């Protein structure tokens, strides 16, 4: 039956009133009269320009923002302006969270302090790691500019710093009794050795790689890196493709310094006056 006008509105209001007074909810069993659907999100959106946090939901939103900001700041390649913006955002979020927790009861403060401390430690370690990579990259770039004047010993140091900046644990060996390994590397479960050949002229041939392969097996290494300032013969390159040996020649060294060392080794993408 079609319903029009005030009579229909009155019937609708009466139906709504009746439903609100009903002691049960027809769509579920065992739910009391006060049952309500739970909220999917507990956090309120974080407001960068807000002077302070005022509710627990805003605190949760600030923590979510902080987790993302710390991850993005220290796990990604960023421009200088992006780094500066995230540094300010992280510092601002920590400040507002600390002020909010000081005003809360002890139980709520204790429930969040461990998470805040963890994020603060993660940010501190991230800063130290980035700064360490930056310093290593600058030293490597300086040595790269002086590559033609390095001694074999300083070339080994240069290669060791290069691999350290790439995330390896580095042990310089060299000298007599090195068993064909100038440097030993570890990263996770990977164990590798490095042989450094500082040649101003000449080409590294397959006989040297065959001898190096014996060192790889003798050291029970998963992989070997043969690093030289010169180049490799075609026979040497073909030999390396069939064995767990990676070749790093002069041009490849330049690529590693400028690309694989992370944010500290890359030139800023914007002008210095930006």
């Amino acid at each position: 039956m079609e319903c029009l006008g005030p009579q229909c509105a009155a019937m609708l209001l009466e139906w709504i009133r009746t439903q609100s007074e009903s002691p049960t909810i027809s769509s579920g069993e065992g739910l009391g009269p006060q049952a309500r659907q739970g909220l999917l999100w507990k956090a309120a959106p974080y407001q960068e320009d807000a002077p302070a946090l005022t509710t627990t939901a805003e605190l949760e939103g600030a923590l979510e923002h902080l987790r993302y900001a710390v991850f993005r700041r220290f796990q990604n390649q960023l421009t200088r302006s992006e780094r500066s913006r995230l540094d300010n955002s992280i510092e601002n979020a920590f400040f507002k969270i600390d002020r909010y927790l000081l005003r809360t009861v002890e139980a709520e403060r204790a429930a969040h302090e461990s998470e805040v401390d963890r994020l603060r430690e993660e940010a501190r370690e991230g800063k130290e790691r980035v700064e360490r990579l930056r310093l290593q990259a600058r030293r490597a770039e300086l040595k790269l500019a002086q590559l033609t004047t390095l001694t074999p010993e300083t070339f080994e140091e240069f290669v060791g710093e290069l691999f350290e900046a790439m995330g390896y644990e580095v042990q310089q060996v060299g000298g007599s009794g090195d068993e064909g390994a100038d440097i030993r590397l570890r990263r996770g479960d990977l164990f590798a050795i490095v042989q450094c050949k500082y040649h101003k002229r000449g080409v590294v041939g397959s006989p040297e790689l065959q001898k190096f392969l014996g060192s790889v097996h003798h050291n029970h290494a998963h992989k070997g890196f043969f690093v030289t300032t010169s180049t490799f013969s075609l026979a040497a390159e073909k030999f390396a493709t069939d064995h767990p040996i990676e070749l790093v020649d002069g041009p490849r060294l330049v690529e590693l310094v400028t690309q694989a060392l992370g944010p500290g080794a890359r030139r800023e993408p914007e002008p210095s006056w930006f």
Side-chain angles (χ1 to χ4, degrees):
M1 179 180 68
E2 185 177 6
C3 179
L4 299 172
Q7 183 181 5
C8 182
M11 292 174 61
L12 179 59
L13 289 173
E14 178 63 21
W15 180 86
I16 292 175
R17 184 184 65 78
T18 303
Q19 293 297 315
S20 65
E21 294 175 354
S22 176
T24 60
I25 299 175
S26 59
S27 59
E29 296 181 0
L31 297 177
Q34 301 301 320
R36 295 290 185 271
Q37 181 177 350
L39 294 177
L40 181 60
W41 306 109
K42 296 182 179 179
Y46 176 66
Q47 302 296 328
E48 289 259 16
D49 55 351
L53 306 176
T54 58
T55 66
T56 303
E58 289 181 0
L59 172 64
E60 294 289 349
L63 288 171
E64 286 183 359
H65 170 81
L66 197 54
R67 294 184 197 104
Y68 172 75
V70 170
F71 172 80
R72 176 163 172 74
R73 173 61 181 87
F74 300 111
Q75 302 297 330
N76 293 272
Q77 298 284 345
L78 304 172
T79 64
R80 182 187 301 175
S81 59
E82 287 174 325
R83 293 197 298 270
S84 178
R85 180 181 62 80
L86 281 172
D87 284 339
N88 290 335
S89 181
I90 291 170
E91 183 177 354
N92 186 43
F94 273 127
F95 174 75
K96 288 194 284 189
I97 289 172
D98 289 341
R99 287 188 62 189
Y100 178 85
L101 291 179
L102 284 175
R103 302 193 305 269
T104 60
V105 296
E106 184 176 351
E108 184 178 357
R109 183 163 59 250
H112 292 94
E113 277 185 338
S114 60
E115 174 70 1
V116 175
D117 290 343
R118 185 191 67 80
L119 288 169
R120 185 172 277 112
E121 179 66 13
E122 185 177 339
R124 184 190 64 79
E125 291 178 352
K127 288 180 181 179
E128 291 180 353
R129 183 175 64 255
V130 168
E131 184 61 23
R132 185 169 62 250
L133 288 175
R134 189 182 304 278
L135 292 175
Q136 291 168 346
R138 293 297 179 258
R139 288 198 301 268
E141 284 183 330
L142 178 61
K143 290 186 177 181
L144 186 62
Q146 303 170 340
L147 203 54
T148 57
T149 62
L150 293 179
T151 65
E153 292 75 19
T154 54
F155 178 63
E156 290 181 13
E157 294 176 2
F158 164 76
V159 173
E161 289 183 357
L162 181 62
F163 278 103
E164 186 176 9
M166 292 165 61
Y168 290 91
E169 297 178 21
V170 175
Q171 178 188 6
Q172 297 278 0
V173 185
S176 59
D178 60 11
E179 299 177 337
D182 296 318
I183 301 171
R184 292 191 175 96
L185 306 175
R186 287 193 180 276
R187 185 165 66 183
D189 296 331
L190 174 69
F191 170 59
I193 64 171
V194 183
Q195 188 168 113
C196 304
K197 289 294 181 183
Y198 185 75
H199 290 314
K200 292 185 179 179
R201 297 182 181 84
V203 176
V204 177
S206 58
E208 289 184 80
L209 293 189
Q210 292 171 15
K211 183 178 179 181
F212 179 54
L213 179 62
S215 299
V216 173
H217 294 319
H218 180 75
N219 284 274
H220 304 289
H222 301 101
K223 184 177 182 179
F225 293 89
F226 199 106
V227 184
T228 181
T229 51
S230 60
T231 57
F232 297 94
S233 68
L234 291 177
E237 292 178 354
K238 184 179 185 306
F239 180 84
T241 59
D242 297 328
H243 299 91
I245 297 175
E246 183 171 337
L247 304 182
V248 181
D249 58 9
R252 178 60 178 153
L253 274 174
V254 176
E255 291 179 2
L256 290 177
V257 171
T258 57
Q259 297 178 11
L261 285 177
R266 294 173 185 257
R267 297 192 179 279
E268 304 296 349
E270 67 266 9
S272 58
W273 62 83
F274 184 79

